[in-house]
Amino acid sequence: MAPNYSYQKVSDAESDGDFQNAEALPKSSTKTTQTTEFSLGQSVQVGWFKRPSVFWLLPVFLLFNLAMGMTAMPRMNVLISLICRNVLSNGMPTGHEAGAGGAMGDSMGQLSRRHMGMGEGGGLSGNATGTLNYSPEAVVIGEYNPQCSLKEVESATAMLTLYGNLIAGILGAIFTPVWGKLSDRYGRIRPLAAAASIFLGGEVISVLIAALPDAFPLSWIYFAFVLEGFSGSFLVIMALASSYAVDCTQDNERNVAIGYFHGSMFLGMAAGPILGGYLGMSGGQSRPMLIFYTALVMRVSGIAFLLFLVPESLSRPESRSESAMSELKQLFGAAKNQSWAARIKNANPLHLLRILAPSKATAGINVQRNLITLTGINTIIFGSVMGAMNVLMLYSEFEFGWGNKESGIFLSAVNFSRTIATIGVLPLAIYLYRRWLYRTNQASTEHGFDRLDLFLIRTSVLSDVIGFLGYAFAPTGALFILSGVIASLGAIGLATSEASMTKLVDSSQIGELLGALGFLQAVARIIAPTIASLTYSGTVSSMPQLVFIGIAVCFVAAFVVSFFARPDTSNGAFARVDDEDGEPMVPIPAQKACARC
């Protein structure tokens, strides 16, 4: 059986005397003790460079998210350019001859607003008024090419992105809980580096196709989508980073720690496009491929930092330090002795979701109810936000006549507001609440999943309700942006619900829990945008605001569901029973490391 890891935590406030009385402490204290695996009786000093902390992983996480934000829009431009080359190489579509009016003129009129304000290399100035060159060689990869404003190109792009997102989404949903469970067995850093490396492989393939379109056919892009699915995309990176944060923090610090990672993600989404825009126009000329090369360097640097500098948050007993090859042999050897039914059961990703709905006998009715409730709230929030992303852009362009500039301002305002909410407002709210508790002498009774968690979740969900109703009824673009800023407070609910769930399970199950939650988020990432897009498409001519009202109703449902949750200050974390031998998988006791090194 693959080895388990013991929980590892360093706290400057702990003392050796406290560790001696660890058996008498509540479970939340025993599972948040820094351990280093050495023989009993040894006292080992751990320097700051070997001490796990969220601040080790935050720079890596920010690098990954900046790279993702930088390449979001350029990737779509590259796909359109490559598809346009393929369409034009198969012959000029009928009705779009050079200099022709009619449909071509209509297409140019529709696209001029979306691409207004483009600078050098944008393509509209000059090319839009003259005769267009429809040879495939004239298409500039990654640029806006007015000759590509063809319905054939638009249709092919929509189908490719649809199939690609389905491939990546379905595979990601399957493998996300697997990555989470692996992180409980092999530590956080190695699975995180492995997932990031697989994702990097998909990015390399995309860059090769864009840089050498004559050598690599466009169909290779599907292989990039497959690798993205195997890696779990940003959902796995987010889940494993949050697991690392849980390992390094106590219950009362967990909301803030996970909020930092959510804030880092939103900061990357806000600052990434700005950084990509400056890189793409560096030297006074358009260089779209420089954005991708820079993103690759950032990802490689992040992986190297992970492997060589970031300390592991889970420690491994020396008595079970088998090599990876021997562990694989044991794993496959055990699988041979199982029946086919047992093999299928263990290989089924849905089997890993049972941690989200444990039995009453295993977890108790409070933990069971709270886990199911928080899972539902988190999934509704995530799915609603994902479903609204594309529709927000389409609606703002349709209703207010926004182009790239205005859309960019809106996205930056919303994501910067989400960043401030998760790394500023959330810590401040917790700090003020804790101070009030100490003044009223209630501090000793508030731990685990408490009243503050419920208050933060309900308040953030209400802000989403107000924000999305604002989207629906905003008469001006300025009020539309203000609605986005109000809705950005909902990011607190996403981080808090995730952190609250980790307080309800044993520390040996954190990766499995967040991986299972990532599965539901991956499914929501597929279904929610589809439903929102179909709703908007069917009502755009009569009532385009209906989709936002529907999303607001979803948030109201999440608010109502939150009243089924009950504060659980007993730290009733339940221990998992391993599938193979029935032994409880709990943190392995080990000698405490010196916390004052």
Side-chain angles (χ1 to χ4, degrees):
M1 187 180 71
N4 299 323
Y5 283 77
S6 59
Y7 190 74
Q8 187 166 237
K9 168 73 171 67
V10 170
S11 173
D12 291 334
E14 293 174 355
S15 67
D16 294 335
D18 292 334
F19 180 73
Q20 298 299 327
N21 298 321
E23 295 297 329
L25 295 175
K27 185 158 189 167
S28 63
S29 299
T30 58
K31 73 178 182 179
T32 57
T33 302
Q34 168 73 19
T35 64
T36 304
E37 300 299 337
F38 291 94
S39 60
L40 189 63
Q42 288 181 338
S43 179
V44 181
Q45 293 189 344
V46 179
W48 63 268
F49 54 90
K50 290 185 179 180
R51 193 179 304 170
S53 167
V54 293
F55 297 106
W56 276 111
L57 197 56
L58 273 174
V60 178
F61 196 71
L62 181 59
L63 273 178
F64 288 159
N65 285 292
L66 281 174
M68 181 175 65
M70 284 170 52
T71 58
M73 278 303 297
R75 180 182 289 107
M76 180 57 66
N77 293 335
V78 166
L79 283 179
I80 293 174
S81 304
L82 293 171
I83 291 172
C84 181
R85 281 173 55 97
N86 282 10
V87 171
L88 296 180
S89 63
N90 293 330
M92 183 61 201
T94 58
H96 296 289
E97 287 78 9
M104 181 62 188
D106 293 340
S107 298
M108 290 298 299
Q110 294 171 3
L111 288 170
S112 60
R113 182 177 64 192
R114 181 172 297 180
H115 295 276
M116 68 172 61
M118 297 185 66
E120 297 179 28
L124 260 181
S125 56
N127 285 341
T129 57
T131 301
L132 301 178
N133 186 349
Y134 287 96
S135 66
E137 293 76 17
V139 176
V140 182
I141 303 299
E143 298 282 3
Y144 168 63
N145 299 278
Q147 68 270 35
C148 294
S149 55
L150 310 171
K151 62 181 181 181
E152 291 82 3
V153 174
E154 294 288 323
S155 176
T157 303
M159 295 307 296
L160 186 146
T161 53
L162 172 63
Y163 293 145
N165 290 333
L166 282 176
I167 292 171
I170 293 173
L171 290 176
I174 293 173
F175 282 94
T176 296
V178 175
W179 283 111
K181 194 165 186 177
L182 285 175
S183 74
D184 287 336
R185 291 176 176 265
Y186 300 100
R188 313 300 185 198
I189 299 303
R190 288 194 292 176
L192 181 55
S197 298
I198 295 174
F199 188 86
L200 174 65
E203 293 288 287
V204 170
I205 291 174
S206 300
V207 170
L208 287 175
I209 296 172
L212 304 169
D214 296 324
F216 295 92
L218 181 59
S219 56
W220 279 45
I221 197 68
Y222 289 107
F223 186 43
F225 284 120
V226 169
L227 291 180
E228 180 183 348
F230 283 150
S231 72
S233 190
F234 74 93
L235 290 176
V236 163
I237 294 176
M238 186 73 217
L240 298 187
S242 298
S243 300
Y244 188 94
V246 170
D247 295 342
C248 300
T249 54
Q250 299 183 20
D251 285 356
N252 59 357
E253 304 169 337
R254 200 160 291 171
N255 292 14
V256 175
I258 293 182
Y260 283 158
F261 284 101
H262 281 258
S264 175
M265 178 180 66
F266 295 131
L267 180 60
M269 294 170 62
I274 299 174
L275 178 59
Y278 280 111
L279 287 174
M281 292 302 297
S282 61
Q285 55 182 331
S286 181
R287 298 176 179 178
M289 293 307 299
L290 181 61
I291 301 174
F292 292 96
Y293 298 146
T294 304
L296 289 181
V297 172
M298 293 169 68
R299 292 190 182 278
V300 171
S301 301
I303 294 171
F305 193 90
L306 266 178
L307 292 174
F308 299 109
L309 292 177
V310 179
E312 176 58 66
S313 62
L314 298 180
S315 62
R316 178 176 179 175
E318 294 179 357
S319 60
R320 306 186 67 174
S321 58
E322 300 96 338
S323 66
M325 187 60 66
S326 63
E327 292 170 6
L328 288 175
K329 289 180 180 179
Q330 292 179 15
L331 180 63
F332 286 111
K336 290 180 180 179
N337 299 326
Q338 294 177 341
S339 64
W340 281 104
R343 295 183 193 181
I344 294 174
K345 180 181 178 181
N346 291 333
N348 183 8
L350 294 177
H351 181 61
L352 302 177
L353 298 183
R354 61 181 183 169
I355 190 174
L356 298 176
S359 65
K360 294 180 182 179
T362 303
I365 187 171
N366 285 339
V367 172
Q368 182 195 53
R369 180 180 59 238
N370 288 338
L371 272 178
I372 295 175
T373 300
L374 291 171
T375 299
I377 293 172
N378 187 279
T379 305
I380 291 174
I381 295 175
F382 184 85
S384 299
V385 172
M386 294 300 296
M389 288 179 64
N390 290 335
V391 175
L392 283 171
M393 295 297 96
L394 295 173
Y395 177 82
S396 61
E397 291 180 1
F398 174 80
E399 190 71 17
F400 306 116
W402 283 2
N404 273 354
K405 180 180 179 181
E406 293 82 0
S407 297
I409 292 174
F410 170 72
L411 287 177
S412 295
V414 169
N415 285 312
F416 276 124
S417 298
R418 288 172 176 168
T419 303
I420 294 172
T422 49
I423 69 175
V425 176
L426 177 59
L428 179 62
I430 293 175
Y431 171 76
L432 294 176
Y433 181 77
R434 301 298 180 200
R435 288 200 63 179
W436 174 78
L437 282 182
Y438 279 107
R439 287 179 180 178
T440 57
N441 296 319
Q442 300 180 48
S444 60
T445 64
E446 291 289 325
H447 50 79
F449 176 49
D450 56 22
R451 293 175 296 172
L452 175 61
D453 295 326
L454 274 175
F455 173 78
L456 291 173
I457 291 172
R458 290 169 182 168
T459 304
S460 63
V461 170
L462 282 179
S463 72
D464 274 316
V465 173
I466 297 171
F468 275 86
L469 289 177
Y471 284 145
F473 300 109
T476 64
L479 289 177
F480 193 81
I481 294 176
L482 178 61
S483 300
V485 172
I486 295 174
S488 66
L489 292 174
I492 293 176
L494 199 62
T496 302
S497 59
E498 185 176 312
S500 299
M501 293 174 69
T502 65
K503 300 175 184 179
L504 299 173
V505 301
D506 190 79
S507 58
S508 65
Q509 298 175 283
I510 298 300
E512 182 179 355
L513 171 75
L514 296 180
L517 182 64
F519 171 88
L520 296 180
Q521 292 177 344
V523 173
R525 184 186 174 195
I526 299 172
I527 297 177
T530 303
I531 295 175
S533 296
L534 290 175
T535 302
Y536 180 73
S537 176
T539 61
V540 66
S541 59
S542 55
M543 190 179 180
Q545 302 89 350
L546 183 62
V547 64
F548 299 126
I549 297 175
I551 293 175
V553 170
C554 291
F555 283 115
V556 171
F559 181 77
V560 173
V561 168
S562 71
F563 286 92
F564 289 95
R566 296 289 185 273
D568 184 2
T569 58
S570 63
N571 292 296
F574 62 95
R576 174 180 59 191
V577 176
D578 186 63
D579 300 330
E580 298 175 1
D581 55 18
E583 296 178 357
M585 300 176 68
V586 296
I588 302 170
Q591 183 72 12
K592 181 185 177 183
C594 176
R596 291 179 172 81
C597 309

